[in-house]
Structure formats: C-alpha cells, structure tokens
Amino acid sequence: MEETLRITQRYVTWLYFQRFVLSGNLHGGSVVASYPFDDSPEHKATGIYSKTSDDEVFKYLAKAYASNHPIMKTGAPHCPGEEDETFTDGITNGAHWYDVE
C-alpha cells in the first residue's frame, strides 16, 4: 500500500510539470476504442450518442488507434460473454455503447 501511494504521488508530481495536449485511458472490457463522452443527459442504459465539440477529432483518433490493432479493427472482438457485440470500424461513442452516469 505504501509503495502504491508513493508511486501515485510521484506520478501526480510528474503530471504537474508536464503539458499534455492529448491523453487516453485503458480499461478492461471489450476490444474497442471508445471516445467521449460516456455520459448523456438522458442516462439511458445504451444507444444515446453523446457528441462533443471535438467529436470529429475524437472519432479520427479512435479510428487511427483501432485500425492498427489486429482484433479491434475487425469490429467483432468476440469477447467472452459478449460474442455477438460489434463495433463499426472498431470504435464507439462511450454513451452510445453504455451510459456511465
């Protein structure tokens, strides 16, 4: 636990001195490039496209990433429990896939 806290503190300090123009995160789940936003005003479970002012940029970046991944680019990752789940071009808008309130 102490080691984790120490690493986290070093990371926060490092971030303080860096200037980022782009960042991303990775999480477990399907093999897809999901772009912002994961939240929608309607808070329906799925199917609500949550557009940003930079939507075309996010879509471009997601496609660039997905098109270079051997499984993601197929749009059909066949993940256990979600074998029939598909994503056009291997990308999805976060809230369209599932809303995170």
Side-chain angles (χ1 to χ4, degrees), residues 1-9:
M1 181 69 172
E2 282 184 33
E3 178 68 11
T4 301
L5 182 58
R6 187 177 66 76
I7 291 170
T8 301
Q9 288 171 333

Side-chain angles (χ1 to χ4, degrees), residues 8-90:
T8 301
Q9 288 171 333
R10 287 177 60 192
Y11 182 66
V12 169
T13 301
W14 179 77
L15 285 174
Y16 182 77
F17 292 102
Q18 301 303 311
R19 300 195 96 157
F20 282 88
V21 294
L22 179 65
S23 67
N25 67 25
L26 302 172
H27 64 83
S30 194
V31 182
V32 63
S34 175
Y35 55 92
F37 288 116
D38 291 351
D39 187 20
S40 69
E42 294 86 353
H43 300 303
K44 291 187 178 180
T46 187
I48 302 296
Y49 194 98
S50 188
K51 190 173 182 174
T52 70
S53 57
D54 294 325
D55 205 59
E56 291 305 313
V57 173
F58 284 122
K59 283 170 59 175
Y60 172 82
L61 293 169
K63 281 184 183 181
Y65 185 88
S67 69
N68 286 285
H69 188 283
I71 296 171
M72 197 178 298
K73 70 182 177 185
T74 69
H78 303 293
C79 292
E82 300 291 339
E83 290 83 2
D84 296 329
E85 189 171 53
T86 60
F87 303 96
T88 303
D89 297 322

